[in-house]
Amino acid sequence: MSKLKTGVLIVAAILAAAVSGGIVGGAAAVALVRNAYNGPVESAVLPELPVNSDELGEPMTLRVHLPVEYDSDPDRSFPVIWVVDGPSQGAQVARSMQTLSRIEISEPSIVVEVPSSSRGRQSDFIPPWEDSAPDAQADRFYRFLEDEAIPAVAEAYRVNGSRVLVGHSMGGLFTLYALLQQPSLFDGYFVFSPSVWVGGEQILGELERATPSPNSVSTQLFLSLGESEGYEMLSGFEALETILASWPSSDLRWQATITEGADHGSNPELSFPVAARWYSGR
């Protein structure tokens, strides 16, 4: 594809993300592109970080999107956004963050694409509960993140200790599971179109039993669902809202929203700018 065509596609993506995310109006979006876009935002070849995982019993390769400020400001450290289903979701997260940081809505961040293991996402993202499939290993995948991947990135790159975990669909289920394990491991959890129906909706019962005591949690949780998603997805999402609303006052700040014009596939891309703006408080 020619550089001109590539540039046109990136401009269109920036405009769509800005307007649909509710960040700016049409005229302001044009100004955003004039100020924020100046050719491709990163090299086509991403840095790769190999991690030999004892937890998963195999080598894993993380792909890393560095903000443009990483090289231009060598004394600066950065937050890290961890994206499960990384190969399919990481690029759009990195593009959104590049734009949002240019217009000072979000802080420039490192985006890490986390792939699934050779067992596949259904194994990695499903918690090993009583009704789960025998190869469910969300507990092992979580320990891979906590004990192996996060330290590896901290050693290889200039990170400031702030972390956000992003998951979509079954990855959203895993992100909720991760919240239950150790809320303080990540400062923010972005959950797009979570598949709470998997495993007989057991995640809902786990969340009910995990009702936090006051000041027990210091993190932020953003949930979204596309308005065109099916009833099974909607009923689970509404049940999540009910459980969260019943929690007593705590340090957990949360937001749940329906994304206008989105279906299951488009919801994460349309939701991410909204989640990032909400998370930053701007």
Side-chain angles (χ1 to χ4, degrees):
M1 184 179 292
S2 69
K3 292 182 179 179
L4 176 60
K5 288 183 179 179
T6 301
V8 169
L9 290 174
I10 293 176
V11 169
I14 293 173
L15 285 169
V19 174
S20 63
I23 297 171
V24 294
V30 174
L32 181 159
V33 170
R34 289 174 179 166
N35 291 315
Y37 176 72
N38 187 23
V41 297
E42 65 179 352
S43 169
V45 180
L46 295 178
E48 293 187 344
L49 181 63
V51 179
N52 289 317
S53 175
D54 292 331
E55 282 294 343
L56 298 176
E58 63 184 86
M60 300 285 285
T61 301
L62 308 175
R63 299 179 71 200
V64 183
H65 299 257
L66 297 174
V68 295
E69 295 85 356
Y70 193 86
D71 289 331
S72 62
D73 191 352
D75 296 324
R76 184 174 183 178
S77 58
F78 298 86
V80 181
I81 299 177
W82 291 83
V83 186
V84 296
D85 280 329
S88 65
Q89 300 292 323
Q92 66 88 8
V93 169
R95 287 194 299 268
S96 292
M97 283 305 302
Q98 190 74 69
T99 300
L100 294 172
S101 65
R102 290 286 183 89
I103 59 176
E104 299 182 351
I105 286 177
S106 294
E107 185 177 356
S109 302
I110 297 169
V111 176
V112 177
E113 296 184 3
V114 185
S116 295
S117 72
S118 61
R119 293 178 178 84
R121 63 196 301 270
Q122 294 207 19
S123 177
D124 293 338
F125 296 160
I126 297 178
W129 293 324
E130 183 177 348
D131 295 332
S132 298
D135 62 345
Q137 62 166 20
D139 55 337
R140 296 175 64 190
F141 197 75
Y142 177 84
R143 291 194 298 270
F144 158 68
L145 283 177
E146 179 182 22
D147 298 334
E148 298 172 334
I150 289 175
V153 168
E155 182 177 354
Y157 297 99
R158 301 192 309 272
V159 303
N160 66 9
S162 177
R163 293 185 289 267
V164 172
L165 181 64
V166 180
H168 167 240
S169 192
M170 289 185 62
L173 173 67
F174 173 79
T175 303
L176 289 171
Y177 172 79
L179 173 67
L180 288 170
Q181 302 314 296
Q182 183 183 336
S184 61
L185 184 61
F186 296 92
D187 301 283
Y189 296 79
F190 294 178
V191 178
F192 305 134
S193 306
S195 298
V196 301
W197 53 270
V198 173
E201 297 188 340
Q202 189 164 343
I203 187 67
L204 298 178
E206 296 294 327
L207 285 166
E208 285 183 316
R209 286 186 286 275
T211 300
S213 58
N215 302 314
S216 66
V217 179
S218 181
T219 191
Q220 302 186 65
L221 170 64
F222 182 94
L223 307 105
S224 73
L225 188 77
E227 70 169 348
S228 298
E229 301 198 46
Y231 174 76
E232 190 172 43
M233 296 294 292
L234 178 61
S235 63
F237 190 79
E238 290 176 339
L240 277 174
E241 288 187 273
T242 299
I243 292 170
L244 292 171
S246 70
W247 283 8
S249 176
S250 71
D251 286 347
L252 176 66
R253 176 175 175 253
W254 66 278
Q255 173 71 39
T257 185
I258 300 295
T259 308
E260 184 177 356
D263 58 17
H264 189 72
S266 64
N267 184 49
E269 185 167 6
L270 295 176
S271 292
F272 183 84
V274 182
R277 182 180 61 174
W278 173 83
Y279 176 74
S280 68
R282 300 178 184 179

